[in-house]
């Protein structure tokens, strides 16, 4: 679809959304206290699922349908941010493929209807969604969008406040502590996107057969599996490899289609495959000297070992299925063969402890990147130009 036509379609979608006044964030943002969950701490072992109990609701002023994806704009003018409402939906994880009658699927795969067999033996049911996810990776609030054809005129900005807007340079070179604080500074309902939120998008794509394309071809601003999908480079750093937010487009896309979102449509979350690796709020690797790394979920030790990459064998072959782990989209086993059930994605963990999760992969991860990709090699205080973040909103 022509980029201009695509931008006009997005503008029409946004115009239909109710706009609320911008949320005032504090001018100075520093590390958040009490959230250094990457360090080994003596914590109890989790034995119950970590789920949100209060019912989700739409934002005040959002007149979109509660049971369908739709875009909603918070704020006005150049500081306006676009979010995508993720409706609540049911999905079923395959615990035992044979018992479930799905022998060709790997352990941990997700399906959109209840399989055969018994609950908690063959399959487990979960409810995801009920959250607003920033449609775009975070930018500075004073970032200027570029031309929809060329990207010309895009400016990164320097503001200490965050927005989610199309065709802007990303806010990168940020470590986890500041990403958390910046996300929460957006307002009382705001937070850094969690692994549970990320998994909700990955599961939705999986059960609806959506292949999420992205800027993952090693710096050529294309998708590695479909090179007709192109992205726009930031004019100030045309060789950086990181594209302008939401700039993916394909000339042959039908009206309303955007194959770089988790829904495959304009009303979806963009840039989940490649582009910029994104810090997430929930997952870290715990453990002390001489202790193998285990999953640390929101500061609670799970007691479950994190798989370590052995050479190049980092393809995700199964996902964790226990009640306390399954909602976080955690790789359980890694191998040589990439699997379509997990969109051929990989996970990277070098055995380090005290590191935090990043999702989606970067532009340099080629086919290894994607909605299931997880990177576990960096501590909370590490930052570089290829790491960024995204905001979510929860109204309860």
């Amino acid at each position: 679809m022509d980029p201009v036509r695509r931008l006009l379609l997005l503008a029409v979608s946004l115009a239909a959304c109710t706009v609320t006044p911008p949320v005032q964030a504090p001018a100075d943002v520093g590390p958040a206290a009490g959230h250094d969950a990457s360090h080994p701490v003596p914590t109890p072992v989790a034995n119950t699922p970590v789920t949100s109990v209060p019912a989700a609701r739409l934002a005040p002023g959002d007149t979109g349908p509660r049971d369908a994806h739709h875009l909603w704009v918070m704020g006005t003018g150049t500081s306006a941010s676009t979010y995508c409402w993720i409706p609540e939906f049911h999905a079923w994880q395959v615990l035992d493929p044979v018992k479930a009658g799905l022998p060709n699927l790997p352990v941990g795969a997700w399906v959109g209807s209840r399989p055969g067999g018994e609950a908690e033996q063959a399959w487990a049911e979960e409810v995801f969604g009920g959250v607003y996810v920033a449609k775009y990776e975070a930018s500075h609030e004073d970032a200027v969008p570029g031309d929809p054809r060329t990207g010309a005129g895009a400016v990164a900005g320097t503001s200490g406040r965050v927005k989610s807007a199309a065709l802007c340079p990303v806010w990168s070179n940020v470590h986890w502590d500041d990403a958390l604080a910046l996300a929460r500074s957006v307002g009382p309902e705001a937070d850094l996107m969690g692994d549970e939120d990320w998994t909700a998008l990955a599961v939705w794509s999986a059960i609806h057969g959506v292949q999420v394309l992205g800027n993952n071809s090693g710096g050529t601003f294309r998708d590695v599996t479909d090179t007709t999908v192109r992205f726009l480079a930031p004019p100030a750093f045309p060789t950086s490899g990181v594209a302008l937010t939401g700039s993916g487009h394909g000339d042959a896309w039908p009206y309303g289609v955007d194959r770089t979102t988790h829904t495959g449509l304009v009303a979806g979350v963009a840039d989940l495959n490649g582009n910029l690796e994104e810090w997430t709020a929930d997952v870290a690797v715990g453990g002390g000297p001489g202790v193998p790394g285990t999953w640390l979920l929101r500061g609670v030790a799970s007691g479950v070992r994190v798989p370590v990459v052995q050479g190049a064998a980092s393809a995700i072959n199964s996902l964790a299925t226990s009640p306390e782990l399954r909602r976080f989209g955690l790789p359980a086993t890694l191998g040589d063969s990439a699997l379509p059930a997990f969109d051929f994605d990989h996970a990277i963990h070098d055995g380090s402890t005290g590191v935090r999760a990043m999702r989606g992969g970067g532009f340099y991860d080629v086919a290894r990147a994607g909605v299931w990709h997880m990177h576990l090699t960096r501590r909370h205080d590490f930052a570089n130009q290829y790491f960024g973040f995204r905001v979510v909103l929860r109204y309860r």
Side-chain angles (χ1 to χ4, degrees):
M1 180 167 60
D2 179 80
V4 176
R5 188 182 182 196
R6 178 168 172 265
L7 191 63
L8 289 174
L9 174 66
L10 179 57
V12 171
S13 299
L14 300 184
C17 301
T18 302
V19 177
T20 62
V23 175
Q24 296 300 315
D28 297 318
V29 177
H35 291 284
D36 189 8
S38 61
H39 294 303
V41 291
T43 50
V45 174
N47 55 16
T48 57
V50 182
T51 58
S52 299
V53 176
R57 58 184 177 86
L58 295 178
D62 181 2
T63 59
R66 190 181 185 281
D67 59 351
H69 286 82
H70 63 271
L71 302 180
W72 177 73
V73 180
M74 183 175 71
T76 58
T78 58
S79 63
S81 288
T82 302
Y83 290 86
C84 182
W85 167 252
I86 313 301
E88 292 179 340
F89 65 94
H90 292 249
W92 289 260
Q93 189 182 41
V94 178
L95 309 182
D96 186 319
V98 174
K99 290 181 179 179
L102 300 168
N104 294 324
L105 288 181
V107 172
W110 291 88
V111 294
S113 58
R114 189 174 72 182
E118 298 294 326
E120 298 303 331
Q121 296 182 23
W123 51 267
E125 183 179 6
E126 293 285 347
V127 179
F128 292 99
V131 63
Y132 290 89
V133 177
K135 180 173 173 64
Y136 308 105
E137 292 167 327
S139 297
H140 292 273
E141 190 181 68
D142 59 349
V144 178
D147 183 274
R149 290 192 184 90
T150 65
V155 178
T158 59
S159 170
R161 298 177 180 178
V162 184
K163 73 175 177 182
S164 163
L167 302 171
C168 291
V170 296
W171 189 333
S172 63
N173 202 29
V174 57
H175 55 65
W176 182 84
D177 300 279
D178 276 353
L180 181 71
L182 286 164
R184 291 179 173 177
S185 75
V186 171
E189 300 83 10
D191 207 345
L192 180 64
M193 186 175 182
D195 295 84
E196 187 173 344
D197 306 318
W198 194 286
T199 301
L201 305 187
V203 169
W204 201 98
S205 298
I207 68 177
H208 290 87
V210 178
Q211 182 185 21
V212 183
L213 304 181
N215 174 29
N216 60 7
S217 62
T220 67
F221 295 96
R222 295 177 183 267
D223 180 88
V224 71
T225 60
D226 184 349
T227 57
T228 67
V229 178
R230 301 180 302 281
F231 296 79
L232 300 178
F237 301 99
T239 61
S240 70
V242 181
L244 297 178
T245 58
S247 64
H249 58 279
D251 294 337
W253 291 351
Y255 188 74
V257 168
D258 184 344
R259 297 184 63 201
T260 69
T261 77
H262 80 288
T263 62
L265 302 171
V266 170
V269 179
D271 298 328
L272 297 167
N273 182 344
N275 204 41
L276 191 72
E277 296 196 65
E278 300 184 31
W279 290 113
T280 50
D282 299 328
V283 173
V285 180
V291 178
T294 58
W295 294 114
L296 194 64
L297 308 175
R298 298 175 183 166
V300 178
S302 69
V304 179
R305 291 274 300 273
V306 180
V308 177
V309 172
Q310 300 296 330
S314 61
I316 300 171
N317 285 178
S318 68
L319 296 178
T321 60
S322 60
E324 67 271 19
L325 301 181
R326 67 170 67 107
R327 296 180 61 83
F328 296 92
L330 306 178
T333 59
L334 305 174
D336 294 306
S337 300
L339 303 181
F342 308 124
D343 205 23
F344 304 99
D345 294 350
H346 290 231
I348 301 171
H349 175 49
D350 61 4
S352 300
T353 57
V355 296
R356 297 210 63 94
M358 290 181 284
R359 306 299 290 252
F363 70 88
Y364 38 73
D365 281 308
V366 292
R368 296 182 297 273
V371 293
W372 293 108
H373 181 99
M374 180 177 280
H375 184 173
L376 293 156
T377 67
R378 300 298 185 183
R379 294 179 59 85
H380 65 106
D381 54 358
F382 183 89
N384 73 16
Q385 62 182 320
Y386 305 127
F387 299 166
F389 64 104
R390 194 182 303 252
V391 180
V392 295
L393 305 174
R394 292 184 180 86
Y395 293 86
R396 304 293 183 187

